[in-house]
């Protein structure tokens, strides 16, 4: 895992956040959730996790999925 960065909901994601993830992050934020995002990299793919219980992941095929955390 490669560490990324953190930012608050409602603020502009840092430049290191891939463009492919940005629309899904905006969709999650439209749910009026608050908190902080954490961007990490797992097996070379971006993962953005919102501490309010959501994640935006880029799959191995390149698809972007926004979903509640899965235990």
């Amino acid at each position: 895992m490669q560490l990324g960065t953190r930012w608050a909901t409602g603020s502009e994601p840092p430049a290191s956040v891939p463009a492919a993830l940005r629309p899904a992050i905006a969709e999650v934020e439209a749910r009026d959730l608050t908190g902080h995002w954490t961007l990490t990299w797992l097996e070379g793919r971006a993962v953005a996790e919102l501490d309010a219980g959501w994640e935006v992941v880029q799959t191995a095929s390149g698809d972007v999925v926004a979903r509640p955390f899965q235990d």
Side-chain angles (χ1 to χ4, degrees), residues 28-66:
V28 171
E29 289 190 2
R31 298 172 182 269
D32 290 327
L33 301 172
T34 60
H36 288 84
W37 289 98
T38 302
L39 175 69
T40 56
W41 299 85
L42 181 60
E43 297 178 358
R45 294 188 301 275
V47 178
E49 296 181 344
L50 180 60
D51 54 18
W54 281 80
E55 64 183 356
V56 176
V57 298
Q58 191 167 24
T59 66
S61 64
D63 295 330
V64 175
V65 178

Side-chain angles (χ1 to χ4, degrees), residues 1-39:
M1 180 184 289
Q2 173 186 343
L3 293 180
T5 189
R6 283 180 57 84
W7 72 100
T9 55
S11 62
E12 183 69 24
S16 58
V17 176
L21 268 61
R22 292 171 181 262
I25 289 170
E27 287 178 23
V28 171
E29 289 190 2
R31 298 172 182 269
D32 290 327
L33 301 172
T34 60
H36 288 84
W37 289 98
T38 302
L39 175 69

